[in-house]
Amino acid sequence: MENLDRGMVAVKVTGGVYVGWRMLGYEYTGTDSDTSYNLYKDGALLKNVTDSTNYLDPAGTSTSKYTVSVVLNGKEGDKSTSVPVWADQYQTIPVSAPPNGPQGGTYTANDGTPCDLDGDGQLDLILKWDPSNSKDSASAGKSDDCIIDGMKLDGTRLWRIDLGVNIRAGAHDTQLSAYDFDGDGKCELAVKTGPGTKDGKGNFLKKGPAAGVDNSQDLRGSGGTTLGGPEWMTVFSGVDGSELDTIAYPVTYGSGNWGDTSGNRGQRFTGGFAFVKDVPAGGGAGVANGLPSIISGRGYYARTTVSAMTYRNGVMAKNWVFDYPSCYGGTTKPIGCGDHSCMAADVDGDGAQEIIPGAITISSDGKFMCDSQMGHGDALDIAPLIPGKPMVTFSIHEQLGGFDAHDSATCKLYFTTTPGGDANRGRAEYVGVGNETSASCSGPGQVLCATGASGGLGAGSNFVMYWDADEWRELEDQNFIKKAGGGTLLTCSACGGNNFTKNTPTLTADLLGDWREEIIWREGVSLQNTPATTALRIYTTTDVTKRRIYTLMHDPTYRAQVNFEQSTYNQPPHTGFQISPNMPAPPVPNIFIAGTKK
């Protein structure tokens, strides 16, 4: 896992200054008395905090400076870097949009994913810019280039990558696989590339199959989609965006039947990273060594493929490829094996993560595991939704209608509703079910995930996030956060959501402070912005909580799902353990920190 710093945040609030910081995964022993934190203000000890990782300083002012140190088994660690006090609950992140494209497109800040780009322990942001003429895979027409920035959370841009004319801009095309893939303490970015792609230094790609290619060629057909020619996968440096290595994309468009000939179904990609098994080149048993792989999926209708690739010691290589051509059901079962999404979780407890693109589960060594036969859908949650049960897959159904929850390892159904008609939105989470015997499963109706019986508060249809002082998750949509069944907690009237009717944020994740989540919205009108974006906003909670949990970014399930969050139809991340008011103690994470002895 990443070697994160304290992520300390201080905010001026009514009644003082709110201060929050990270409990790191290796500081959690399962025994509360083993770990406390010394909070300092202006160099003097303010409080030894034993029951949380946040504090309200009633005497705090806008000029106060705060640091914190861990006290583990009676021994105090190093103090964190001091932080100033935010004047508001958010910080503005200035951004600079790319110039208008040759097709006339203006650029709007779109999806983002966090990563420590330069190895300083602070989470940075990889931001995708979406031109106003970006296209859905089902639509014809040319787009302007997809642009990707690497930046600090203060707005400092480290690099800009231009994917070129042969990678069409759209929610289904470019997915940001980002993590420290080689264990050097710095993040890398992996994306699909082609002739004309320029790295963060402004250079055309030149490694592997990209060497000597004519980068002036425009391979787009009359429909605006590139359906032939070279297809690559490239790893870029998080430090400067330079090309580190390029290989041929493992599953090309022309390699088989995708269910149509227009490029619609074969140009649907998903992507992220996961801690899967390394499989020997000649086949055989895979090894769960805890090192990450780049994950890229192609197709989820008539054919579903998922490729795992490694980047180690400066070399990118294919790990394994899952290729399942039997997703078209016709009259025997619904169409599709995957959703407009993909997530990772260790569903069988063997120390490596499975890949769940929707109705099917792919084992950590790239082999078929199970199929719920519920077909293709638009929304997906992989989480411990039923106490005492393994990981659960929740999905809504496009062809069958309704929604279901099933065991992620066996695909055995806990319930399903199939009333017919396209169910296009849904969500599953603990949002306020009084007895905590089940999370809420919400779609075209509201039921308990464990049984399918009516009950509980609705989990909404967009995003969920940990925000206020309790352990229930709150609902996020458009530019606001609200309680399930209750009132609005936060509204950013100057902010807008992304991806048209999906209205999703740029990012939600545990980026700063304690275990609760931050949200990044872009400033601008809702849906799609006409003028170029000039700023983002990052909001943090200021509600004092007595619940202490280590940073969610040191939970492998949550961390992988945060990266998958940006993929296609954005979905919120979930932890690998239950969070609710009467939750069991979180498991001690079985992790080591890259580049350290921790």
Side-chain angles (χ1 to χ4, degrees):
M1 306 296 292
E2 291 156 308
N3 188 24
L4 300 176
D5 67 6
R6 287 286 163 213
M8 201 170 189
V9 63
V11 183
K12 186 70 181 74
V13 296
T14 300
V17 172
Y18 168 88
V19 188
W21 59 91
R22 292 188 183 109
M23 180 184 205
L24 302 169
Y26 54 84
E27 294 170 349
Y28 174 70
T29 67
T31 302
D32 286 343
S33 60
D34 288 347
T35 310
S36 66
Y37 295 88
N38 283 340
L39 178 63
Y40 295 85
K41 181 174 73 172
D42 300 328
L45 180 64
L46 177 63
K47 178 75 173 179
N48 176 247
V49 181
T50 62
D51 59 354
S52 68
T53 50
N54 63 174
Y55 183 74
L56 178 62
D57 175 16
T61 69
S62 59
T63 60
S64 300
K65 301 283 187 180
Y66 295 90
T67 60
V68 71
S69 61
V70 66
V71 182
L72 187 59
N73 294 318
K75 183 179 179 180
E76 184 174 15
D78 295 335
K79 291 181 182 178
S80 66
T81 302
S82 67
V83 296
V85 176
W86 293 9
D88 297 296
Q89 198 174 358
Y90 69 91
Q91 289 281 79
T92 299
I93 307 173
V95 294
S96 177
N100 294 353
Q103 304 291 330
T106 59
Y107 281 88
T108 302
N110 191 249
D111 300 335
T113 198
C115 224
D116 182 0
L117 296 172
D118 52 10
D120 64 357
Q122 298 177 8
L123 288 169
D124 307 308
L125 181 66
I126 298 174
L127 179 67
K128 184 169 72 170
W129 288 94
D130 195 39
S132 55
N133 52 18
S134 65
K135 303 296 180 183
D136 184 87
S137 298
S139 301
K142 294 181 179 181
S143 76
D144 283 304
D145 295 2
C146 181
I147 306 295
I148 305 171
D149 283 354
M151 56 188 292
K152 307 292 289 182
L153 288 183
D154 65 2
T156 302
R157 192 171 77 213
L158 303 179
W159 43 261
R160 172 167 284 175
I161 291 169
D162 184 339
L163 293 183
V165 299
N166 293 306
I167 302 295
R168 193 161 71 156
H172 296 288
D173 295 85
T174 294
Q175 319 303 333
L176 309 173
S177 297
Y179 199 66
D180 177 10
F181 295 116
D182 60 0
D184 69 349
K186 300 173 184 178
C187 176
E188 290 83 37
L189 168 68
V191 293
K192 187 172 181 288
T193 56
T197 297
K198 290 183 179 180
D199 70 8
K201 291 191 169 184
N203 300 318
F204 289 117
L205 305 182
K206 58 180 180 295
K207 298 195 174 184
V213 169
D214 178 7
N215 285 289
S216 67
Q217 57 187 317
D218 186 339
L219 301 170
R220 294 174 293 184
S222 58
T225 304
T226 303
L227 301 181
E231 297 184 273
W232 307 325
M233 198 77 178
T234 299
V235 176
F236 297 93
S237 165
V239 176
D240 59 13
S242 59
E243 177 194 13
L244 296 176
D245 202 10
T246 297
I247 64 172
Y249 190 80
V251 183
T252 61
Y253 177 77
S255 63
N257 179 30
W258 300 102
D260 61 24
T261 58
S262 65
N264 176 15
R265 294 180 173 181
Q267 296 295 91
R268 306 237 177 197
F269 298 92
T270 58
F273 82 86
F275 300 100
V276 299
K277 292 176 180 174
D278 283 6
V279 176
V287 177
N289 56 18
L291 298 175
S293 281
I294 299 156
I295 303 297
S296 182
R298 183 176 207 158
Y300 36 74
Y301 291 106
R303 180 185 179 194
T304 296
T305 71
V306 173
S307 301
M309 294 156 278
T310 58
Y311 177 70
R312 314 233 174 96
N313 300 313
V315 176
M316 191 180 186
K318 182 172 68 176
N319 183 0
W320 51 254
V321 174
F322 172 86
D323 193 342
Y324 194 58
S326 306
C327 296
Y328 184 80
T331 59
T332 60
K333 68 176 184 176
I335 296 171
C337 294
D339 293 354
H340 295 277
S341 182
C342 190
M343 286 293 174
D346 181 2
V347 306
D348 57 6
D350 68 353
Q353 292 178 330
E354 277 65 50
I355 306 299
I356 304 99
I360 62 173
T361 300
I362 302 166
S363 70
S364 54
D365 58 1
K367 296 180 173 58
F368 174 82
M369 202 164 185
C370 65
D371 185 352
S372 71
Q373 298 196 6
M374 290 294 106
H376 165 72
D378 285 3
L380 181 69
D381 293 289
I382 314 297
L385 301 174
I386 305 172
K389 299 291 186 181
M391 297 294 285
V392 176
T393 298
F394 166 82
S395 182
I396 58 176
H397 310 145
E398 183 166 303
Q399 184 177 348
L400 295 175
F403 52 107
D404 81 275
H406 61 262
D407 184 312
S408 300
T410 67
C411 293
K412 178 182 177 180
L413 291 168
Y414 290 112
F415 81 87
T416 184
T417 65
T418 55
D422 182 0
N424 55 21
R425 304 300 286 268
R427 191 87 290 134
E429 185 56 285
Y430 294 92
V431 294
V433 182
N435 58 12
E436 298 178 65
T437 58
S438 172
S440 298
C441 280
S442 302
Q446 167 55 41
V447 303
L448 301 178
C449 299
T451 62
S454 297
L457 295 172
S461 61
N462 202 355
F463 265 53
V464 287
M465 59 185 301
Y466 299 109
W467 185 256
D468 64 9
D470 64 33
E471 297 88 343
W472 301 120
R473 227 163 178 192
E474 279 65 59
L475 313 185
E476 187 280 340
D477 197 1
Q478 302 177 48
N479 62 349
F480 60 84
I481 301 169
K482 69 177 184 178
K483 295 290 291 184
T488 299
L489 302 176
L490 175 70
T491 300
C492 176
S493 59
C495 298
N498 295 328
N499 304 314
F500 298 94
T501 58
K502 300 299 182 288
N503 235 325
T504 48
T506 291
L507 176 65
T508 64
D510 179 12
L511 301 173
L512 299 168
D514 68 7
W515 56 275
R516 292 166 299 171
E517 294 168 296
E518 282 65 44
I519 186 165
I520 297 179
W521 281 305
R522 61 177 176 82
E523 291 187 354
V525 297
S526 187
L527 303 184
Q528 203 71 12
N529 210 4
T530 301
T533 306
T534 59
L536 309 173
R537 287 190 186 185
I538 179 170
Y539 279 85
T540 191
T541 184
T542 56
D543 289 355
V544 176
T545 181
K546 291 298 183 183
R547 173 64 71 177
R548 187 172 74 171
I549 302 174
Y550 53 86
T551 175
L552 304 187
M553 300 296 262
H554 276 175
D555 170 46
T557 302
Y558 181 86
R559 184 62 187 91
Q561 291 196 15
V562 163
N563 186 211
F564 276 105
E565 178 184 338
Q566 49 73 40
S567 184
T568 56
Y569 289 1
N570 305 19
Q571 312 291 326
H574 295 272
T575 56
F577 56 90
Q578 179 182 339
I579 298 180
S580 61
N582 296 302
M583 60 186 279
V588 177
N590 182 19
I591 62 173
F592 66 92
I593 305 302
T596 76
K597 296 181 180 179
K598 300 169 184 175

